[in-house]
Amino acid sequence: MHIIKWAVVLSIFWLLLSGFIEPLLLSFGALSVVVVLFILKRMDEVENESRQIGTSLRLIRYMPWLIGQIFSSGIHVTKLIWGSPDKVSPAIAKINAKDVPISSRVLYANSITLTPGTLSVDLEEGEVTVHALQKSSLEELEEGYMEQKITGIWGQNK
């Protein structure tokens, strides 16, 4: 069932990105999906741990919030770049992520990187090293709103 879900998701994703429905291109798409499924199957055999595809209610709750953060941060960074250079105050800091479930820490670091103006540089021992275009972005992360959102959606630390 796991492989079938991935086959459907990858096929739809390929069709959406390609936009072409010609026999030759469809065969290339099908071949690429088969290769990825083969690699996925081999990885599952080596890992001996089943992974669920992220089509749960949690993902549906998380994606609109993340997309909203990306858009609002994008507008903020655009204003920052087009505005006065005095407002740019690059900074780097370690953000505590110990309250984020271990299984969601990479998601947390990637969410930080996906919001413009911030970049996760390192994730180590419950801390995310973050570079920001403005020091205020680091202060917002330290307030913990993104951390609370991810912890609320993806579960408590165990």
Side-chain angles (χ1 to χ4, degrees):
M1 190 61 150
H2 173 67
I3 297 294
I4 293 170
K5 284 183 185 179
W6 274 113
V8 170
V9 168
L10 289 171
S11 298
I12 291 171
F13 186 68
W14 188 89
L15 280 172
L16 288 173
L17 290 180
S18 75
F20 295 105
I21 303 180
E22 297 175 11
L24 179 64
L25 294 175
L26 285 175
S27 63
F28 287 152
L31 181 63
S32 66
V33 168
V34 168
V35 168
V36 169
L37 291 175
F38 174 75
I39 293 169
L40 179 66
K41 182 72 173 152
R42 296 276 312 214
M43 288 171 54
D44 283 346
E45 290 171 1
V46 170
E47 189 176 45
N48 291 328
E49 224 180 276
S50 66
R51 293 281 181 205
Q52 295 297 320
I53 190 169
T55 56
S56 67
L57 180 59
R58 292 186 282 186
L59 184 65
I60 293 169
R61 287 177 45 210
Y62 177 69
M63 289 307 292
W65 173 80
L66 182 62
I67 290 168
Q69 292 296 307
I70 291 169
F71 279 116
S72 67
S73 296
I75 291 168
H76 176 75
V77 170
T78 302
K79 288 179 183 177
L80 186 66
I81 291 170
W82 286 350
S84 171
D86 298 338
K87 292 183 180 180
V88 177
S89 57
I92 194 163
K94 290 187 181 274
I95 307 295
N96 184 4
K98 290 182 178 160
D99 293 335
V100 177
I102 293 170
S103 62
S104 300
R105 287 185 185 162
V106 171
L107 176 68
Y108 178 56
N110 285 335
S111 297
I112 291 171
T113 297
L114 283 173
T115 55
T118 56
L119 174 68
S120 298
V121 179
D122 191 19
L123 173 62
E124 189 173 25
E125 297 179 14
E127 289 184 326
V128 182
T129 305
V130 179
H131 177 273
L133 288 176
Q134 270 189 315
K135 192 171 185 172
S136 62
S137 297
L138 293 174
E139 292 166 358
E140 289 175 19
L141 285 171
E142 288 170 348
E143 289 174 7
Y145 177 69
M146 185 179 286
E147 178 182 324
Q148 291 170 0
K149 186 71 172 180
I150 289 176
T151 303
I153 292 174
W154 300 99
Q156 297 298 320
N157 213 354
K158 293 182 176 142

